[in-house]
Structure formats: C-alpha cells, structure tokens
C-alpha cells in the first residue's frame, strides 16, 4: 500500500519528462526551419569583431558532418528556448500538488519570470559580453593574421555562453520562489556571500573563452549583482509569507 504513491509519482515524473522532450523536439523542428537565419545571427558578433580589427575572419568546417551537426546544435538550442516555458510548467505541475493554495498562485509569475530571466541572460551574453570579448581575442596580432575558425567550435562556445548565462539569470526567480516556499532564507544567502563570490568567479572562469581581467569582470560583475538581487527578492518573499499563512 505504501509503495503505490511512490509508483504513481514516478509514473507522473516519467510522463512529464516525456512531454518535455516532445516539446523540445517540436521546438527543435521549428527552429530547424530557421537554422540559416539563426546561424547568421550568431555569427554577427564575429563579423563585427572582424570589422573593428580590420581583419578577415573565415568560418571553416573541419569535417563533412560538421555543417549538419552545427545546424542541429543551433536548432536544438533554439528549440530548448521555445520549449522552456512548457518545460518549466511541467516541473511546476509535478510539485504543485504538495503546495498550499496560496503557494500555487505563484505558478504564473514563476513561469513568466523564468522565461524572461533566461532570455535576458542569453541576450546579455550575446549583446553584453561577446561584442567585447571577441574583438579583444582577435585583436592581439591585428592584420598580421587571417583567422580560420571552426564553425563548430565557435557556435559551441557562443551557445554555451548564452545557455549558461540564461540559467544564471534565473537566480532571482528561483530565490524568490524558494523563499516563498520557506526552503531558502535571505539570511542564509547573505551569510554565505563569500562562498558565492568564489563560486561565481569559478563559473565566470569556466564559461569565458579567456581568463583576462576584462572578460572576467564583464561576466562576474553582473553575476554578483544578480546574487545580491536574489538576496533582496528572497527578503521580500519572506515578508509575504506571514501574511499568506495567516490568511
């Protein structure tokens, strides 16, 4: 008798994972139709860097399968972005039965906030970091060289940067939700800020293509701001809990 609820939860979890995968595949199919436009858009920071440094930059393929694999990678990333609201909803629908009614009302703000934050993080990586990092990296030897860059490696680095920054920008949304649910406290976040600084610096060093001070500052600065924003929104969420519990 005691195993039945666990089995039901596992079956529901499997079903929601499958629906999330289906949504991702459908989104990938939609993005595949626009793969050329997406590739051109992702290539734009490299073109701007070439213009700024007055050099010619060529994207090359190193394998006959690389064009297909790059197209699939770009389409999969675009499909994930399109399917993200549905995937987040599936996560929420799985945990919602164990929440109080006032906690369930957080569903819509959480879904909207998660989608907006991910998009904001990806756009920050594209417009805020890449336009500075790529010209810096390509400008060391100026017109002496003609860079021949693998399209697979370039697209992989750009997509990784956008994806990681999109996830990191979810910090305030997740902090608010966990604080409203009583799982996380602003005091805990404020007390462990030194640990957070070390972790964010390590993350910035991993996702940046170079470890120069300028690139690390461009990435680490917004991450630290996001962390303290997370502390503030967690405090706001904590103040809302007593009123809801009393009601």
């Amino acid at each position: 008798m005691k195993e039945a609820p666990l089995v039901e939860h596992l079956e529901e979890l499997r079903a929601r994972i499958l629906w999330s995968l289906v949504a991702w595949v459908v989104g990938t199919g939609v993005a595949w139709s626009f793969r050329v436009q997406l590739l051109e858009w992702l290539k734009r920071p490299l073109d701007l860097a070439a213009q700024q440094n007055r050099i010619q930059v060529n994207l090359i393929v190193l394998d006959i399968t690389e064009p297909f694999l790059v197209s699939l990678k770009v389409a999969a990333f675009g499909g994930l972005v399109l399917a993200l609201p549905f995937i987040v909803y599936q996560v929420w629908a799985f945990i919602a039965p164990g929440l109080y009614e006032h906690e369930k009302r957080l569903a819509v703000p959480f879904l909207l906030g998660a989608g907006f934050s991910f998009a904001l993080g990806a756009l920050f990586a594209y417009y805020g970091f890449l336009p500075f990092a790529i010209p810096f990296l390509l400008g060391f030897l100026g017109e002496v060289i003609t860079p021949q860059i693998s399209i697979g490696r370039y697209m992989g680095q750009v997509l990784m940067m956008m994806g990681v920054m999109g996830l990191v920008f979810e910090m305030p949304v997740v902090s608010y939700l966990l604080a409203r649910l009583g799982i996380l406290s602003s005091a805990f976040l404020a007390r462990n800020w030194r640990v957070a600084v070390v972790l964010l610096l390590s993350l910035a060093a991993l996702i940046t293509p170079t470890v120069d001070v300028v690139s690390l500052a461009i990435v680490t600065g917004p991450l630290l701001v996001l962390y303290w924003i997370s502390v503030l929104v967690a405090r706001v969420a904590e103040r809302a809990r007593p009123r809801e519990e009393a009601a």
Side-chain angles (χ1 to χ4, degrees):
M1 294 295 293
K2 295 182 179 179
E3 294 181 356
L6 177 60
V7 173
E8 291 176 1
H9 284 309
L10 291 177
E11 290 178 351
E12 182 185 2
L13 179 61
R14 181 181 63 179
R16 296 198 179 280
I17 291 175
L18 288 176
W19 278 114
S20 298
L21 291 175
V22 169
W24 188 6
V25 171
V26 172
T28 300
V30 174
W32 178 269
S33 303
F34 300 94
R35 63 189 183 279
V36 176
Q37 293 87 339
L38 290 173
L39 286 168
E40 289 290 340
W41 183 68
L42 293 171
K43 181 176 173 287
R44 195 173 301 165
L46 189 62
D47 296 334
L48 294 176
Q51 295 176 6
Q52 293 178 16
N53 293 316
R54 298 179 180 178
I55 59 176
Q56 181 180 353
V57 180
N58 298 323
L59 281 179
I60 61 174
V61 294
L62 303 177
D63 188 88
I64 58 174
T65 61
E66 194 168 13
F68 172 77
L69 293 177
V70 169
S71 299
L72 184 60
K73 185 184 298 183
V74 170
F77 182 83
L80 180 61
V81 173
L82 293 175
L84 186 61
F86 182 80
I87 295 174
V88 174
Y89 169 76
Q90 293 299 317
V91 175
W92 178 268
F94 179 73
I95 65 175
L99 303 178
Y100 294 105
E101 288 300 321
H102 67 272
E103 293 173 336
K104 293 180 181 180
R105 290 196 295 268
L106 298 173
V108 174
F110 174 67
L111 293 174
L112 295 176
F116 176 78
S117 298
F118 185 88
L120 188 62
L123 292 175
F124 167 78
Y126 182 84
Y127 290 106
F129 175 73
L130 294 177
F132 294 95
I134 295 178
F136 176 81
L137 294 173
L138 293 180
F140 279 107
L141 296 179
E143 300 178 2
V144 176
I145 60 172
T146 300
Q148 308 284 335
I149 302 175
S150 166
I151 187 173
R153 295 191 62 181
Y154 171 77
M155 292 297 172
Q157 291 173 341
V158 170
L159 294 178
M160 183 190 71
M161 170 66 67
M162 295 177 65
V164 172
M165 292 303 293
L167 292 176
V168 170
F169 268 61
E170 301 281 0
M171 275 196 301
V173 178
V174 175
S175 298
Y176 183 84
L177 177 66
L178 295 180
R180 285 287 291 268
L181 298 179
I183 300 174
L184 185 68
S185 68
S186 60
F188 174 83
L189 294 175
R191 186 171 59 250
N192 293 278
W193 68 269
R194 294 179 180 84
V195 177
V197 169
V198 174
L199 293 176
L200 293 177
L201 281 172
S202 302
L203 178 62
L206 286 174
I207 63 178
T208 51
T210 177
V211 292
D212 63 277
V213 177
V214 177
S215 298
L216 285 177
I218 293 174
V219 175
T220 307
L223 297 186
L224 294 176
V225 172
L226 283 172
Y227 183 80
W228 287 109
I229 291 176
S230 301
V231 176
L232 293 177
V233 298
R235 187 167 301 172
V236 172
E238 288 170 346
R239 293 175 179 175
R241 277 186 60 80
R243 296 193 299 269
E244 293 176 344
E245 292 174 353

